[in-house]
Amino acid sequence: MMERWKGRVALVTGASVGIGAAVARALVQHGMKVVGCARNVDKIEKLAAECQSAGYSGTLIPYKCDLCNEEEILSMFSAIKTLHQGVDVCINNAGLAHNEPLLSGRTEGWRNMIDVNILALAICTREAYQSMKERHVDDGHIININSMGGHRMVPSADEHFYCATKYAVTAMTEGLRQELREAKTHIRATSISPGIVETEFAFRHHNSDPERAAAVYESIKCLKAEDIASAITYVLSAPAHVQLFGLSF
């Protein structure tokens, strides 16, 4: 069922490493044109070259974008419209966490989490939907990479604000589903909520304590970024009449 996505356009945010890079690679393998965005595109450019060398039928287009800046997001969507007509699949993958407890955290860290985890996701969702609507695309898909932290509060002060932003993603995905239904469109919305995935996430989260970051991944058998990519291709492969709204694992 991924055949129907060949030659169509997917936007993957936070595509330079981890889940985003794995998702971008998987969609290119299935023949999609993938716009992979990040603040630094060096790694995406390297991945694009690897995909080309591997002979994948799709293409990966790196795009430099700071998701904390709405103007840069809007410019990205404008460029996608000019060069590739528009977005058919939007994978809101970018996300981050800072060690900023509720009782002692810095406002700067809280604001950065809100900007990336909530506002950027909302802006990309809105712009992707408008792109689909103006082109009469009725089978598009918006997929939010959520977290198990968006369904239950982790018993660690360092994670509480992050979890709050992911609870927001849970609420926004349900709100999106309702608004899409009210709009009488067949565009689908899905929230994917993994547990611990072995990526660079913990090392960025605990950037001042690499031993603590490593311990996160050593404590249990973790998911791999490729597991999340497989979940996304599964969701995209579902028949048009099937709504896979929430996956948690």
Side-chain angles (χ1 to χ4, degrees), residues 60-134:
L60 176 56
I61 303 108
Y63 195 96
K64 183 178 175 63
C65 180
D66 181 356
L67 293 172
C68 292
N69 186 324
E70 182 176 6
E71 290 305 313
E72 290 196 22
I73 298 174
L74 298 180
S75 293
M76 175 175 65
F77 274 90
S78 178
I80 294 171
K81 179 179 180 179
T82 300
L83 298 172
H84 310 289
Q85 297 187 312
V87 173
D88 301 306
V89 173
C90 180
I91 314 288
N92 286 310
N93 165 72
L96 51 80
H98 297 298
N99 294 339
E100 306 292 356
L102 296 173
L103 297 182
S104 58
R106 295 171 304 141
T107 305
E108 177 187 0
W110 295 342
R111 185 175 289 115
N112 189 219
M113 284 186 273
I114 290 172
D115 284 345
V116 176
N117 299 0
I118 302 176
L119 285 178
L121 180 146
I123 295 166
C124 287
T125 295
R126 179 190 68 202
E127 297 303 312
Y129 170 72
Q130 293 299 329
S131 173
M132 296 173 198
K133 183 181 177 183
E134 69 181 21

Side-chain angles (χ1 to χ4, degrees), residues 50 80 99 110 151 173 180 195 217 221 234 241 243:
E50 290 173 4
I80 294 171
N99 294 339
W110 295 342
H151 304 276
T173 312
L180 290 171
Y217 297 137
K221 183 173 177 56
Y234 172 71
H241 66 284
Q243 167 83 314

Side-chain angles (χ1 to χ4, degrees), residues 203-224:
F203 290 96
R204 292 181 174 184
H205 182 26
H206 303 295
N207 58 2
S208 61
D209 191 350
E211 289 186 4
R212 182 178 178 187
V216 170
Y217 297 137
E218 292 167 0
S219 61
I220 60 170
K221 183 173 177 56
C222 301
L223 294 165
K224 302 293 185 183

